[in-house]
Amino acid sequence: MQTIEEVNIRTVRQEDIERVSILEQASFNDPYPSYFLSELARDNPDTFLVLTLNNEIVAYGVVDHWEDHDHLISIAVRPDSRRKGLGEALLVELEKRLSKERALKLEVRQSNLAAIQLYSKRGFTKTGVAEGYYGDGEDAIIMEKRLVKEALLES
């Protein structure tokens, strides 16, 4: 018998931060502290999203609005839920919520080939390298995508 998994993407709630923080720690060598995740949630109520699978948070993504561009701070998918399209689903939903005609920028570990492949597939291009960006000295690939919203046809 096959189980139907219910996937839902919604905005983060303050009570989600502990689960998001655990997910962050499971996903990255240099995780963001929970107080920073809490600040991001407060400052970006429309672009801090969680993805739930059967009501359990298995992924999150957050875009912060900087003065001259939007910045993808993080996308994380729980290790046992990776390679199922969940990160891409989050990225697509985040893009829908962003302002038109603004660049969306990000940094990604040069060793994170799965993420680089996803970003390239979604239209991001490499614009540079930040040497020694991460705490362990690894370089970051800087990527950017210009978002263009479809104009609504007037009737």
Side-chain angles (χ1 to χ4, degrees), residues 51-119:
L51 185 146
T52 61
L53 201 55
N54 300 327
N55 295 318
E56 188 177 343
I57 294 172
V58 297
Y60 89 92
V62 59
V63 172
D64 198 18
H65 307 291
W66 294 12
E67 192 173 317
D68 63 340
H69 69 279
D70 290 320
H71 204 94
L72 181 65
I73 301 295
S74 190
I75 283 189
V77 179
R78 201 170 67 189
D80 65 351
S81 296
R82 291 185 183 149
R83 310 222 47 91
K84 296 178 181 175
L86 302 178
E88 185 172 7
L90 263 176
L91 185 56
V92 168
E93 184 59 33
L94 282 166
E95 288 180 13
K96 286 181 189 172
R97 293 167 179 253
L98 297 175
S99 305
K100 63 177 180 170
E101 303 304 323
R102 271 174 68 93
L104 177 57
K105 298 182 183 184
L106 62 89
E107 296 84 24
V108 59
R109 281 184 180 271
Q110 68 177 10
S111 63
N112 191 343
L113 301 180
I116 293 168
Q117 186 177 15
L118 168 63
Y119 297 135

Side-chain angles (χ1 to χ4, degrees), residues 1-15:
M1 185 171 141
Q2 194 170 11
T3 313
I4 296 173
E5 296 184 313
E6 186 181 332
V7 176
N8 184 36
I9 297 176
R10 62 169 171 78
T11 54
V12 73
R13 301 177 191 129
Q14 206 54 47
E15 62 267 22

